[in-house]
Amino acid sequence: MPKNKGKGGKNRRRGKNENENEKRELVFKEDGQEYAQVTKMLGNGRLEAMCFDGVKRLCHIRGKLRKKVWINGGDIILLGLRDYQDTKADVILKYTADEARNLKAYGELPESAKINENAGMDDELDENITFDNFDDEEEDDIDDI
């Protein structure tokens, strides 16, 4: 019997379906659905979200999104509400920053909603850092240390 020396099987060779940069149609909420903003990631495919109807809900990421779409704190998501549990919901869709801005422009999201325009780019926050023990006039020579 030959030993398996490969790295995976048929699914690995087939490759991933990379269609993330394609434009998709903007999905609006229907009855039984609500827009929300992620407040805290809890792990195990769950998160805590503040819905725009004023209710904080525990949400479950459905299997279609679980390993393919990465959800972070502050993201705008579409939730499917449960009829029998008002404090729990299911994540149906994650909106990109551009889609969330479009929803805000259409009046679907309230004006108080904060959309992460600079997610992962906190460069301008670093400019205002000052160090206490650093003086420009006193430069220690390496030999004096």
Side-chain angles (χ1 to χ4, degrees), residues 57-116:
R57 291 187 170 94
L58 179 71
C59 305
H60 179 261
I61 302 172
R62 68 190 205 133
K64 187 177 179 182
L65 302 178
R66 201 164 186 169
K67 297 267 183 168
K68 297 168 182 67
V69 179
W70 292 104
I71 299 176
N72 300 312
D75 286 343
I76 305 293
I77 54 177
L78 180 65
L79 298 179
L81 302 178
R82 296 181 180 177
D83 298 333
Y84 50 93
Q85 291 174 313
D86 192 43
T87 58
K88 293 186 180 179
D90 302 299
V91 178
I92 296 173
L93 183 77
K94 176 196 164 192
Y95 292 107
T96 62
D98 291 334
E99 290 171 335
R101 277 192 286 276
N102 289 342
L103 283 174
K104 199 171 183 180
Y106 289 140
E108 292 284 322
L109 297 181
E111 292 298 318
S112 62
K114 291 197 170 41
I115 301 166
N116 287 351

Side-chain angles (χ1 to χ4, degrees), residues 2 19-20 41 47 50 52 75 80 86 95 100 107 109 123 132 139:
N19 57 0
E20 60 202 30
M41 294 301 295
L47 56 92
M50 187 67 188
F52 291 119
D75 286 343
D86 192 43
Y95 292 107
L109 297 181
D123 293 336
D132 295 335
E139 289 192 20

Side-chain angles (χ1 to χ4, degrees), residues 1-2 4 10 16 26-27 29 32 36 51 70-71 74-75 87 127:
M1 293 284 291
N4 293 333
K10 178 172 61 172
K16 290 182 182 175
L26 192 59
V27 179
K29 73 173 182 177
C51 296
W70 292 104
I71 299 176
D75 286 343
T87 58
E127 294 174 1

Side-chain angles (χ1 to χ4, degrees), residues 33-44:
Q33 296 178 345
E34 187 62 47
Y35 300 114
Q37 188 162 22
V38 178
T39 55
K40 187 197 260 182
M41 294 301 295
L42 300 174
N44 199 20

